[in-house]
Amino acid sequence: MNPTRVLRHAAMELRMLLRNGEQLLLAFAIPLGLLLGGLAWGRGFGLDAGVFPASVVAVATWSTAFTSLAVATGFERRYGVLERLVATPLTRADLIAGKSLAAIALVAIQAALLVVVAVACGWRPVWTAAGTLSAVLATVLAIAAFAGLGLLLAGTLKAEVTLALANLVYLAGLALGGLIVDQPPWLPTAALGTALRAASEGALAPLALLALAVWAAALTLIARKVFRWTS
């Protein structure tokens, strides 16, 4: 894997994401709407306003690193964009790393915006060095896991199937995956939600971090193994 190629590909992927109106809606408008709605009316549904913004960051990470990446890559593969990349020195590992780095950059922008808005609305997380480090590590591991899953779908299925399945999995993760409500951290979505909510209270969630590390390693390796450039 070549670091220069990876960084250049990541920069190109990020530019493409920021120019796509549909991706920006998924990346910013929906999480912001969820954040503001939850802070305004979430208590009536039993949501804890003290950790809810952390849950929204988890949702935004899931949206960007899994759904957006899977759908975009699926159609790049269908329309021959990836086929053209085969003629370049870019390898499968470079492609996966570049797309993951672009997702990390976009999630960092999302998280910063959501935290600023939440703090402006009265959110007061507990800032600790351990909690901050845990949040960053959990997010990076989750992006690797989600990107691996997204590229696994996009690199093996037809674009239309990827679109349908990615959206179905996204909704399932949102409703049942522990992103917003605490669940045992066996799924990567639940592990991320648990880790970020704990971090917002200044605490660590070592079991969630361990689960994320295992998922990230497994899904990245599988995606690298089975990803096909052409449909």
Side-chain angles (χ1 to χ4, degrees), residues 38-124:
L39 291 176
W41 302 294
R43 292 185 187 277
F45 295 94
L47 297 176
D48 183 355
V51 297
F52 182 71
S55 298
V56 177
V57 172
V59 171
T61 304
W62 174 234
S63 300
T64 296
F66 171 66
T67 315
S68 297
L69 183 61
V71 174
T73 305
F75 281 95
E76 286 174 0
R77 184 166 168 259
R78 175 185 176 181
Y79 293 122
V81 175
L82 298 186
E83 188 174 1
R84 293 183 177 89
L85 292 178
V86 174
T88 73
L90 199 71
T91 66
R92 278 185 292 189
D94 293 339
L95 177 76
I96 292 171
K99 285 182 175 289
S100 297
L101 280 178
I104 288 173
L106 185 55
V107 168
I109 297 170
Q110 289 175 286
L113 177 62
L114 291 169
V115 168
V116 168
V117 172
V119 169
C121 291
W123 184 45
R124 295 296 179 266

Side-chain angles (χ1 to χ4, degrees), residues 21-217:
E22 181 180 341
Q23 300 294 342
L24 291 179
L25 175 68
L26 192 63
F28 295 103
I30 293 176
L32 277 174
L34 181 62
L35 174 66
L36 295 174
L39 291 176
W41 302 294
R43 292 185 187 277
F45 295 94
L47 297 176
D48 183 355
V51 297
F52 182 71
S55 298
V56 177
V57 172
V59 171
T61 304
W62 174 234
S63 300
T64 296
F66 171 66
T67 315
S68 297
L69 183 61
V71 174
T73 305
F75 281 95
E76 286 174 0
R77 184 166 168 259
R78 175 185 176 181
Y79 293 122
V81 175
L82 298 186
E83 188 174 1
R84 293 183 177 89
L85 292 178
V86 174
T88 73
L90 199 71
T91 66
R92 278 185 292 189
D94 293 339
L95 177 76
I96 292 171
K99 285 182 175 289
S100 297
L101 280 178
I104 288 173
L106 185 55
V107 168
I109 297 170
Q110 289 175 286
L113 177 62
L114 291 169
V115 168
V116 168
V117 172
V119 169
C121 291
W123 184 45
R124 295 296 179 266
V126 178
W127 299 104
T128 65
T132 301
L133 180 60
S134 176
V136 172
L137 180 59
T139 302
V140 171
L141 290 173
I143 289 172
F146 298 160
L149 179 59
L151 292 172
L152 173 61
L153 298 182
T156 57
L157 302 174
K158 291 184 177 180
E160 295 83 359
V161 177
T162 298
L163 174 63
L165 189 56
N167 280 298
L168 182 62
V169 172
Y170 168 73
L171 292 174
L174 187 60
L176 305 171
L179 288 165
I180 296 177
V181 179
D182 276 329
Q183 291 184 12
W186 307 124
L187 294 174
T189 48
L192 177 62
T194 297
L196 292 187
R197 283 187 288 273
S200 72
E201 297 179 318
L204 297 175
L207 183 58
L209 291 173
L210 177 61
L212 283 170
V214 172
W215 277 108

